[in-house]
Amino acid sequence: MGQLMPIFSSQSLGHESWRLVERTHDTGRAGLHETLFALGNGRIGVRGSHEEGDLWPGTTQDSVYINGFHDTESIYHPEVAFGLASQNQFLVEVPNGKLIRWAVGDEAFDPRTGSIENYRRVYDMREASLCRSLVWTSPGGKRVSVQSRRIACMEQPQLYVIEFSVMAMDEALCITIESSLDARSKTVAATDDPRLGSTAAGSALVRIDASRDGDSIMLVHRTRHSGLLLASAVAQQVDGGTVASQPIGEADCPGTRYRVQLAANERVVLTKYCALVSSMETPSSRLARTAADLLHRAASKGFDKLLAEQCDALERWWQDADVEIEGDELLQQGMRFNLLHLLQSAGRDGRTNIAAKGVTGSGYDGHYFWDTEIYVFPVLLHTRPELARKLLAYRFHTLGAARDRARELNHPQGALFPWRTIAGGECSAYFPAGTAQIHINADIAHAVKRYWEATGDDAFMADMGAELVFETARIWLSHGAMSCRGGAESFQIHTVTGPDEYTALVDNNFYTNAMAQMHLRFAHEVAHWLAAANPAADRRIQQRIGLDAGEPARWRAAADLMYLPYDSELGIHPQDDGFLSKPRWDLSAAGTRRPLLLHYHPLVIYRHQVCKQADVLLALLLLGDQFKQADKKRDFDYYEPLTTHDSSLSRCIFGIVASEVGYASKAYDYFVDGVRTDLDDHHGNTVNGVHTAAMAGAWHGVVAGFGGLRMRRGVPAFAPQLPNGWKRYAFKLKTAGAQLRVCVDHLGTHYQLLHGAELSLMHRGETVLLTRAAPRASFPVPSPLVDERVPA
């Protein structure tokens, strides 16, 4: 498999392992770099556009977002049918506190006039900061040095801060700085690309109040339809020179103008504290007071102390999450970039989740998908388990909306989670590739199962997990049915869509059936555990959801009779009942346009053997212990040439399975392609936001691919390999109340217990017990990662 050609050179931002460095402003890459340089703290997302905004050519989305802060709009269906999703939820662009315009004397800064020297922007992944420096010579020959620093405060999720400075270089100068809070409506262009956001995102707020107190400004808005309230506020400090200030601006873009007299080599520093407080987390009556108090506390600390807090928070993250790759600087850079954005994207309040584009852009309307549970959740589970718990809490808190959706789809009981959502309602306007993907119920159950096995958190299971698993399991029995196939009775699931969105509304999708089987067995197990371990919680849940005593047995019976398609002639698992009877799509044929979804009608795609992404192979990875190695290899060989990887969720899965079945070069190529999905803009749409699932996939590529990690009832099992050209790789893993470090190099595989009393693990089938008294174990040099044949 040949590697993807990057849209932009991977060298454009340097090859430092902890920093991205932009040494020139390239108009063609400006929108991409807005995404790459975005900062976030799980709640606020600040795109990496310049402080001067659209003065810089190529600026695309000079935007700020809040995870989960949304408005709604009606979904228009030219032909209406019962139960179609009727209301979209979309991420709103909130007031932008970054805006700073400035002038030297009477010459306003414009990057297209005068000249710029020593330009540099640095995205520092150690501390999640964005710094810029440049020297501007005005058309009249006046020279100034301009610097800025920016953070989205990890320890203060409602706050981001900018420090902006100008220095007169050669002579005394009068500097004018205009600092504003920009809430003006924006026009978002309409598009036929279903991956992009709503055209209403830039004009969804209605101003209901405004106030000013000295250099502090506050605006209060309400979303047009969802009724959410937001207080946006800025407080400003100016140091250096002789300063005079005055209020400026229009109602939707109020600001302050500072006129500063500077001596030669003197600098003026503007520190801008920006608060965003919403009714999602704060009572409406206290929005303004909370924002004002937050700004007062931030200003009393100052930028440097806030940055120090940021560095401490990031140091703790990297201590647990860093994946070290020695032997390829660009891959190391890509891995750390991905891990930082996962941290910046993850909701931490139990009421928000992780959007497909994180907090970096409005792609997919800021919706949450199954990407969280299958791709991102395991990364956080083994690095920051308390954060993983919050993501499951989000699903529990939207269980009511999932129950309502189940009733709309004629399920008399249980809960059906939406394919894409923010607040819990189904937002997928195209049900064949949306609502029909009911495997999301099993995906959530799989995450609950993995969490429980890794943490032993019985309190979570009693409070939230069991009810989540039970309610979602009920859907399988009302959607599926017993049927006779070949004379044998089996449980079958009809009219569904699996992960592969190029094949829709099929019978017995392999992934869906296999995951449903896992789900039903797990639900049966949890029911018996809860009855024995916590009878009070068991009674409470039974009464709340009307669970009858015979349901768990019916779940187990359906699981035991679950039909899993298998073609004995080919020795493969068909993706669904009809997949093998379709003609293949020759993806190498001249004139084939990609991605297929933007160039071919769905019916053209659906009638072919062609896959958008991993489907069968994903089931083989998640449930690998129940399938034979030889079957996995034949499945890989069959589906690889049929898969376009038009989804960013695909390559990482193929890479991990390729590693397992012995295709070393393919495994490595898939990994290399995936780890820099956004840095090299492989899909050509990173301008609209990062691909969080692909970012998590890079972690899986090292940990589950080359490291061979498979979790077996909470016990980590490894089969490490060292890629050719690498000197070493290392990662850490939290599980069973312990933390493990794994290092693989040319001398062998080295395990070290970092925290916890003891940890049991498996190395290539051998059980290893690490304890405080004996915290280390090493094994001989791993087998070289070379292509192997797996015997049929």
Side-chain angles (χ1 to χ4, degrees), residues 72 82 103 115 208 240 288 309 381-382 448 471 512 541 606 747 781:
T72 60
F82 180 81
S115 64
I208 59 175
E309 292 178 354
L381 172 62
H382 294 300
V448 173
E471 285 287 72
T512 301
I541 293 173
Y606 294 166
L747 298 177
V781 177

PDB file of all heavy atoms in Angstrom, residues 72 82 103 115 208 240 288 309 381-382 448 471 512 541 606 747 781:
ATOM      1  N   THR A  72     -30.445  25.480  17.577  1.00  0.00           N
ATOM      2  CA  THR A  72     -31.175  24.472  16.819  1.00  0.00           C
ATOM      3  C   THR A  72     -31.797  25.092  15.575  1.00  0.00           C
ATOM      4  O   THR A  72     -32.010  26.307  15.496  1.00  0.00           O
ATOM      5  CB  THR A  72     -32.292  23.830  17.663  1.00  0.00           C
ATOM      6  OG1 THR A  72     -33.219  24.854  18.067  1.00  0.00           O
ATOM      7  CG2 THR A  72     -31.710  23.163  18.897  1.00  0.00           C
ATOM      8  N   PHE A  82     -42.550   9.491   8.729  1.00  0.00           N
ATOM      9  CA  PHE A  82     -42.656   9.449  10.182  1.00  0.00           C
ATOM     10  C   PHE A  82     -41.300   9.117  10.810  1.00  0.00           C
ATOM     11  O   PHE A  82     -40.580   8.223  10.353  1.00  0.00           O
ATOM     12  CB  PHE A  82     -43.681   8.394  10.618  1.00  0.00           C
ATOM     13  CG  PHE A  82     -43.835   8.301  12.110  1.00  0.00           C
ATOM     14  CD1 PHE A  82     -44.628   9.211  12.794  1.00  0.00           C
ATOM     15  CD2 PHE A  82     -43.148   7.332  12.827  1.00  0.00           C
ATOM     16  CE1 PHE A  82     -44.755   9.137  14.170  1.00  0.00           C
ATOM     17  CE2 PHE A  82     -43.274   7.256  14.206  1.00  0.00           C
ATOM     18  CZ  PHE A  82     -44.084   8.157  14.879  1.00  0.00           C
ATOM     19  N   ALA A 103      -1.937  50.436  15.346  1.00  0.00           N
ATOM     20  CA  ALA A 103      -1.358  51.363  14.377  1.00  0.00           C
ATOM     21  C   ALA A 103      -0.105  51.990  14.964  1.00  0.00           C
ATOM     22  O   ALA A 103       0.051  52.106  16.186  1.00  0.00           O
ATOM     23  CB  ALA A 103      -2.368  52.448  13.997  1.00  0.00           C
ATOM     24  N   SER A 115       6.505  46.148   5.387  1.00  0.00           N
ATOM     25  CA  SER A 115       7.225  44.879   5.267  1.00  0.00           C
ATOM     26  C   SER A 115       7.271  44.187   6.621  1.00  0.00           C
ATOM     27  O   SER A 115       7.283  44.833   7.677  1.00  0.00           O
ATOM     28  CB  SER A 115       8.649  45.107   4.754  1.00  0.00           C
ATOM     29  OG  SER A 115       9.401  45.869   5.691  1.00  0.00           O
ATOM     30  N   ILE A 208     -28.864  40.469  24.435  1.00  0.00           N
ATOM     31  CA  ILE A 208     -29.932  40.890  25.342  1.00  0.00           C
ATOM     32  C   ILE A 208     -29.440  41.852  26.408  1.00  0.00           C
ATOM     33  O   ILE A 208     -30.243  42.454  27.130  1.00  0.00           O
ATOM     34  CB  ILE A 208     -30.618  39.682  26.010  1.00  0.00           C
ATOM     35  CG1 ILE A 208     -29.609  38.856  26.816  1.00  0.00           C
ATOM     36  CG2 ILE A 208     -31.311  38.816  24.979  1.00  0.00           C
ATOM     37  CD1 ILE A 208     -30.258  37.727  27.603  1.00  0.00           C
ATOM     38  N   GLY A 240       3.236  49.915  30.512  1.00  0.00           N
ATOM     39  CA  GLY A 240       4.311  50.463  29.691  1.00  0.00           C
ATOM     40  C   GLY A 240       3.882  51.735  28.980  1.00  0.00           C
ATOM     41  O   GLY A 240       2.736  51.861  28.520  1.00  0.00           O
ATOM     42  N   ALA A 288     -23.479  36.992  34.698  1.00  0.00           N
ATOM     43  CA  ALA A 288     -22.648  38.198  34.671  1.00  0.00           C
ATOM     44  C   ALA A 288     -21.737  38.268  35.891  1.00  0.00           C
ATOM     45  O   ALA A 288     -20.547  38.592  35.778  1.00  0.00           O
ATOM     46  CB  ALA A 288     -23.530  39.440  34.594  1.00  0.00           C
ATOM     47  N   GLU A 309       0.423  27.862  35.795  1.00  0.00           N
ATOM     48  CA  GLU A 309      -0.604  26.864  36.104  1.00  0.00           C
ATOM     49  C   GLU A 309      -0.854  25.967  34.898  1.00  0.00           C
ATOM     50  O   GLU A 309      -1.036  24.746  35.041  1.00  0.00           O
ATOM     51  CB  GLU A 309      -1.903  27.557  36.516  1.00  0.00           C
ATOM     52  CG  GLU A 309      -1.834  28.291  37.840  1.00  0.00           C
ATOM     53  CD  GLU A 309      -3.129  28.993  38.175  1.00  0.00           C
ATOM     54  OE1 GLU A 309      -4.060  28.999  37.319  1.00  0.00           O
ATOM     55  OE2 GLU A 309      -3.237  29.549  39.290  1.00  0.00           O
ATOM     56  N   LEU A 381      -9.188   6.420  28.880  1.00  0.00           N
ATOM     57  CA  LEU A 381      -9.341   5.411  29.922  1.00  0.00           C
ATOM     58  C   LEU A 381      -7.994   5.009  30.494  1.00  0.00           C
ATOM     59  O   LEU A 381      -7.848   4.831  31.710  1.00  0.00           O
ATOM     60  CB  LEU A 381     -10.062   4.184  29.359  1.00  0.00           C
ATOM     61  CG  LEU A 381     -10.147   2.956  30.272  1.00  0.00           C
ATOM     62  CD1 LEU A 381     -10.917   3.280  31.543  1.00  0.00           C
ATOM     63  CD2 LEU A 381     -10.795   1.789  29.527  1.00  0.00           C
ATOM     64  N   HIS A 382      -6.991   4.884  29.636  1.00  0.00           N
ATOM     65  CA  HIS A 382      -5.694   4.392  30.089  1.00  0.00           C
ATOM     66  C   HIS A 382      -4.694   5.510  30.380  1.00  0.00           C
ATOM     67  O   HIS A 382      -3.546   5.224  30.732  1.00  0.00           O
ATOM     68  CB  HIS A 382      -5.136   3.424  29.060  1.00  0.00           C
ATOM     69  CG  HIS A 382      -5.948   2.166  28.928  1.00  0.00           C
ATOM     70  ND1 HIS A 382      -6.149   1.306  29.988  1.00  0.00           N
ATOM     71  CD2 HIS A 382      -6.643   1.640  27.881  1.00  0.00           C
ATOM     72  CE1 HIS A 382      -6.911   0.300  29.590  1.00  0.00           C
ATOM     73  NE2 HIS A 382      -7.225   0.477  28.327  1.00  0.00           N
ATOM     74  N   VAL A 448     -18.527   0.992  28.355  1.00  0.00           N
ATOM     75  CA  VAL A 448     -18.850   0.742  29.757  1.00  0.00           C
ATOM     76  C   VAL A 448     -18.132  -0.518  30.242  1.00  0.00           C
ATOM     77  O   VAL A 448     -17.540  -0.540  31.337  1.00  0.00           O
ATOM     78  CB  VAL A 448     -20.370   0.602  29.950  1.00  0.00           C
ATOM     79  CG1 VAL A 448     -20.699   0.159  31.378  1.00  0.00           C
ATOM     80  CG2 VAL A 448     -21.080   1.915  29.635  1.00  0.00           C
ATOM     81  N   GLU A 471     -30.756  -0.600  29.336  1.00  0.00           N
ATOM     82  CA  GLU A 471     -31.672   0.107  28.447  1.00  0.00           C
ATOM     83  C   GLU A 471     -31.250  -0.014  26.981  1.00  0.00           C
ATOM     84  O   GLU A 471     -32.100  -0.128  26.092  1.00  0.00           O
ATOM     85  CB  GLU A 471     -31.766   1.585  28.853  1.00  0.00           C
ATOM     86  CG  GLU A 471     -32.603   1.832  30.102  1.00  0.00           C
ATOM     87  CD  GLU A 471     -34.085   1.671  29.838  1.00  0.00           C
ATOM     88  OE1 GLU A 471     -34.538   0.517  29.657  1.00  0.00           O
ATOM     89  OE2 GLU A 471     -34.788   2.690  29.801  1.00  0.00           O
ATOM     90  N   THR A 512     -22.336  -5.229  13.449  1.00  0.00           N
ATOM     91  CA  THR A 512     -23.490  -4.973  14.309  1.00  0.00           C
ATOM     92  C   THR A 512     -23.879  -6.226  15.083  1.00  0.00           C
ATOM     93  O   THR A 512     -24.100  -6.183  16.302  1.00  0.00           O
ATOM     94  CB  THR A 512     -24.678  -4.480  13.469  1.00  0.00           C
ATOM     95  OG1 THR A 512     -24.298  -3.281  12.777  1.00  0.00           O
ATOM     96  CG2 THR A 512     -25.887  -4.200  14.338  1.00  0.00           C
ATOM     97  N   ILE A 541     -33.162   0.171  39.924  1.00  0.00           N
ATOM     98  CA  ILE A 541     -33.137   0.188  38.463  1.00  0.00           C
ATOM     99  C   ILE A 541     -34.327  -0.578  37.901  1.00  0.00           C
ATOM    100  O   ILE A 541     -34.966  -0.145  36.926  1.00  0.00           O
ATOM    101  CB  ILE A 541     -31.807  -0.393  37.951  1.00  0.00           C
ATOM    102  CG1 ILE A 541     -30.652   0.541  38.324  1.00  0.00           C
ATOM    103  CG2 ILE A 541     -31.849  -0.597  36.440  1.00  0.00           C
ATOM    104  CD1 ILE A 541     -29.286  -0.016  38.006  1.00  0.00           C
ATOM    105  N   TYR A 606     -24.103   2.099  -3.058  1.00  0.00           N
ATOM    106  CA  TYR A 606     -24.678   0.982  -2.309  1.00  0.00           C
ATOM    107  C   TYR A 606     -24.746  -0.313  -3.118  1.00  0.00           C
ATOM    108  O   TYR A 606     -24.777  -1.393  -2.537  1.00  0.00           O
ATOM    109  CB  TYR A 606     -26.086   1.329  -1.821  1.00  0.00           C
ATOM    110  CG  TYR A 606     -26.171   2.427  -0.794  1.00  0.00           C
ATOM    111  CD1 TYR A 606     -27.394   3.030  -0.496  1.00  0.00           C
ATOM    112  CD2 TYR A 606     -25.042   2.887  -0.110  1.00  0.00           C
ATOM    113  CE1 TYR A 606     -27.488   4.042   0.446  1.00  0.00           C
ATOM    114  CE2 TYR A 606     -25.130   3.909   0.823  1.00  0.00           C
ATOM    115  CZ  TYR A 606     -26.354   4.482   1.092  1.00  0.00           C
ATOM    116  OH  TYR A 606     -26.445   5.496   2.022  1.00  0.00           O
ATOM    117  N   LEU A 747      17.026  -3.934  22.643  1.00  0.00           N
ATOM    118  CA  LEU A 747      17.432  -4.896  23.660  1.00  0.00           C
ATOM    119  C   LEU A 747      16.288  -5.777  24.124  1.00  0.00           C
ATOM    120  O   LEU A 747      16.522  -6.848  24.674  1.00  0.00           O
ATOM    121  CB  LEU A 747      18.032  -4.157  24.858  1.00  0.00           C
ATOM    122  CG  LEU A 747      19.298  -3.339  24.584  1.00  0.00           C
ATOM    123  CD1 LEU A 747      19.724  -2.609  25.850  1.00  0.00           C
ATOM    124  CD2 LEU A 747      20.411  -4.236  24.062  1.00  0.00           C
ATOM    125  N   VAL A 781      14.840  -9.465  22.937  1.00  0.00           N
ATOM    126  CA  VAL A 781      14.546  -8.623  21.782  1.00  0.00           C
ATOM    127  C   VAL A 781      13.294  -9.134  21.081  1.00  0.00           C
ATOM    128  O   VAL A 781      13.179 -10.324  20.806  1.00  0.00           O
ATOM    129  CB  VAL A 781      15.733  -8.630  20.799  1.00  0.00           C
ATOM    130  CG1 VAL A 781      15.421  -7.811  19.564  1.00  0.00           C
ATOM    131  CG2 VAL A 781      16.983  -8.116  21.497  1.00  0.00           C
TER     132      VAL A 781
END
